[in-house]
Amino acid sequence: MARIRLTILVREAWRDRYPLVVEHCRQAGLTVERELVAVGVIAGSIEEDLLTALMGVEGVSAVEPERINRTLGHS
């Protein structure tokens, strides 16, 4: 399966337990690349087939795929 890059949003009510949410995301298979504690965001990558488990982690509000901006060259 392909590895995908994600942004995970932590629920407002779980912000005081941010480290716990990060640990549970790791246990679900996420490789954490950045922790933005102040805004409740975790950035990382995961195998695509583990995505459902990640979305079920308690304290996770949303899982969003990384947006890729591509500039098309003109000849």
Side-chain angles (χ1 to χ4, degrees):
M1 276 260 143
R3 194 153 189 90
I4 53 175
R5 296 176 59 96
L6 305 167
T7 300
I8 295 97
L9 306 176
V10 177
R11 288 189 188 285
E12 187 71 37
W14 279 75
R15 295 275 179 90
D16 61 334
R17 292 171 277 181
Y18 182 92
L20 183 63
V21 177
V22 171
E23 183 54 34
H24 288 169
C25 288
R26 281 190 172 110
Q27 290 172 4
L30 182 72
T31 299
V32 176
E33 296 168 9
R34 291 185 69 196
E35 295 181 30
L36 305 170
V37 180
V39 292
V41 172
I42 306 163
S45 61
I46 193 167
E47 291 294 328
E48 197 169 3
D49 60 339
L50 298 175
L51 190 55
T52 303
L54 182 65
M55 294 189 319
V57 169
E58 194 170 4
V60 169
S61 173
V63 176
E64 300 176 355
E66 180 180 77
R67 289 170 177 73
I68 300 172
N69 295 326
R70 295 188 181 161
T71 304
L72 298 176
H74 297 284
S75 45

